Amino acid sequence: EELPDRIGKLMERLKVAERDIAKARTAAMMNNLDDLLGQPLDAGKATVYGFTAPVGTQAGQLRDLVMAAKGKVARTGVVIVGSVVDGDKASIVVAVDAVAKSAGITASAVLEQSLVAIGGRGGGNADLAQGAGTDVRGVDRALQLAFEAVRG
C-alpha cells in the first residue's frame, strides 16, 4: 500500500471520528439542556433565556441547541439567545416563539443589537437569526444587549 493511499484512509477515519465526537457532544448538551439554559429573565414583553454553550460547540450545534430549547421551554413569550466562543470567533443564535413575535420581538432585531458587542454580522428572519463576530470578549455583553433589545 502506498503512502498517499494510507494518508487518505487515515484522513477519512479522522473525519468520521470528528463527526462521531460532534454527535456525542451535541447529545450530551441536549441531555443537559435544562442546566445549560439556567434561569429565565423577565424582560417585560417576553421571557429571555440566555446561555453560553461549552467551548468547542460549533455554530450548527448551537443552532440545534437553541431550537431544542425553544421547543422544550414550558412557557410562552420566549426568546432564546445562545452564544459560544470557538477559538477566535463568537457565534450567537436567537430564536423567538410566536407569542413573543406577536409582541413585536423578532429574532433578527435581537441579533442585530447583540452583534454590536462582538463586532459581528449575521442575518435571519423573525423566528430565527444567527451571526458571528471576532470580539470573543464581548459575548457576555452581547447576551446583555439581547436582553435589553427584548425589554425595549
Side-chain angles (χ1 to χ4, degrees):
E1 197 172 359
E2 291 189 32
L3 187 59
D5 290 338
R6 291 178 64 195
I7 291 172
K9 288 178 182 177
L10 282 173
M11 293 300 292
E12 184 57 36
R13 287 178 41 200
L14 178 61
K15 286 179 188 177
V16 169
E18 287 173 343
R19 280 192 299 263
D20 289 346
I21 290 168
K23 285 179 188 175
R25 178 178 295 184
T26 299
M29 286 186 289
M30 292 291 188
N31 289 335
N32 197 28
L33 195 53
D34 289 332
D35 291 336
L36 189 61
L37 277 177
Q39 294 299 309
L41 298 173
D42 182 2
K45 295 191 260 181
T47 302
V48 178
Y49 289 84
F51 69 92
T52 300
V55 172
T57 304
Q58 297 171 351
Q61 293 170 314
L62 179 61
R63 186 179 53 253
D64 292 345
L65 280 173
V66 167
M67 292 306 294
K70 179 181 167 188
K72 184 173 186 157
V73 172
R75 55 177 64 187
T76 59
V78 173
V79 177
I80 310 285
V81 182
S83 65
V84 68
V85 173
D86 188 14
D88 60 351
K89 185 171 96 172
S91 297
I92 298 174
V93 177
V94 179
V96 175
D97 76 359
V99 174
K101 198 165 60 170
S102 70
I105 301 166
T106 66
S108 56
V110 173
L111 176 71
E112 184 179 328
Q113 291 277 62
S114 64
L115 287 175
V116 170
I118 60 170
R121 41 183 233 184
N125 56 41
D127 298 314
L128 181 68
Q130 181 173 337
T134 56
D135 187 357
V136 297
R137 296 166 301 173
V139 167
D140 290 336
R141 179 72 181 134
L143 293 173
Q144 180 63 35
L145 289 173
F147 175 77
E148 292 172 11
V150 172
R151 188 173 58 194

